[in-house]
Amino acid sequence: METEELTINEHCSSSPSNRPLILSVTTIDSDKPRTVEFVVGQIGLPSLTRTLRVGGAVLFETSEDGLFEIRILSITKRMSGGVWCDCATFGVSQLLARHAPTGGVPNESTANHPFTSSEVERIRTSLEPVHDAIRQRGDITPEQVDYISRKLDEIVDAASRVGRKDWVNIAIGTLTNVVVGAAVGSDAAKFLFQTMGQALSWLLGQTLKLLP
């Protein structure tokens, strides 16, 4: 896995070589421990804002090049335009190239009619314990927890846009891609599928139990 280093001044933006990512440093806090507030995004996709110190990382998924890890390597000063400026150096690593969505295994008898608003809310409520459970795992890194939580939110949001059969495919495909893309260990991956299966058993039945 190759890592490209990118040094960006406060209030400035830059992009890795031949990558769709745009990194912007909004604020560098001079208090100890020093932190960086930065925005990572891609044109046409929602941006992600985080405040981290040295060693902190975030996972960001692009539409074409797959999943990237953006890690803060250092917070320093450098001369720019004759004055000293605060700057942050990031390590940008591509974890996995874009992979095709994985199809689910919905029951053939399941109609593709929309969820009701109460069902969407029940899905949201059902996944709250999953968010809490993954935070308790010692074998899932903070950046993986953050990424998985965002993907769970996407699964909930999809329930208000698509029919239930399509949603099953999206949910299972997203979950599978999360496990592969974020390089989650086998024990954590099994735990994630089991926890999701239990949380959504009222809706998915045995579907997730058929998957590893």
Side-chain angles (χ1 to χ4, degrees):
M1 178 176 61
E2 295 184 0
T3 299
E4 179 179 351
E5 293 189 9
L6 200 64
T7 300
I8 306 174
N9 291 349
E10 187 178 25
H11 308 311
C12 293
S13 301
S14 187
S15 297
S17 303
N18 302 316
R19 299 299 186 190
L21 293 174
I22 301 174
L23 281 172
S24 304
V25 174
T26 52
T27 305
I28 296 179
D29 191 340
S30 59
D31 292 337
K32 293 183 179 181
R34 303 193 72 188
T35 58
V36 179
E37 181 185 77
F38 65 98
V39 181
V40 56
Q42 178 186 4
I43 294 175
L45 293 179
S47 297
L48 180 69
T49 301
R50 286 291 183 269
T51 300
L52 300 172
R53 55 179 146 181
V54 172
V58 66
L59 300 180
F60 186 82
E61 187 175 21
T62 63
S63 59
E64 297 179 356
D65 288 354
L67 192 64
F68 287 83
E69 179 191 87
I70 298 96
R71 184 175 297 275
I72 299 178
L73 302 181
S74 65
I75 303 172
T76 56
K77 290 181 179 288
R78 68 175 177 178
M79 186 68 71
S80 178
V83 297
W84 287 98
C85 299
D86 288 321
C87 62
T89 298
F90 298 85
V92 181
S93 308
Q94 185 179 26
L95 299 184
L96 191 70
R98 187 69 181 177
H99 38 280
T102 302
V105 285
N107 190 305
E108 289 300 323
S109 64
T110 302
N112 201 35
H113 56 270
F115 290 105
T116 65
S117 58
S118 60
E119 287 175 327
V120 173
E121 185 56 34
R122 187 176 178 185
I123 291 172
R124 187 184 308 278
T125 302
S126 296
L127 290 183
E128 288 177 358
V130 181
H131 284 273
D132 294 336
I134 62 173
R135 294 189 184 100
Q136 304 302 317
R137 298 280 301 187
D139 54 353
I140 302 179
T141 66
E143 55 268 26
Q144 287 174 330
V145 169
D146 178 71
Y147 174 66
I148 294 170
S149 293
R150 297 196 321 261
K151 303 307 285 186
L152 291 177
D153 289 340
E154 289 181 13
I155 289 173
V156 174
D157 290 342
S160 62
R161 301 193 313 269
V162 302
R164 59 189 64 222
K165 183 179 290 187
D166 291 337
W167 181 84
V168 170
N169 279 324
I170 290 173
I172 296 175
T174 298
L175 191 60
T176 303
N177 285 344
V178 162
V179 168
V180 176
V184 175
S186 59
D187 288 344
K190 184 177 180 180
F191 172 81
L192 184 57
F193 272 99
Q194 289 177 340
T195 306
M196 281 280 289
Q198 293 169 1
L200 297 174
S201 59
W202 61 273
L203 177 61
L204 298 178
Q206 300 294 314
T207 299
L208 283 180
K209 294 181 180 181
L210 299 176
L211 300 174

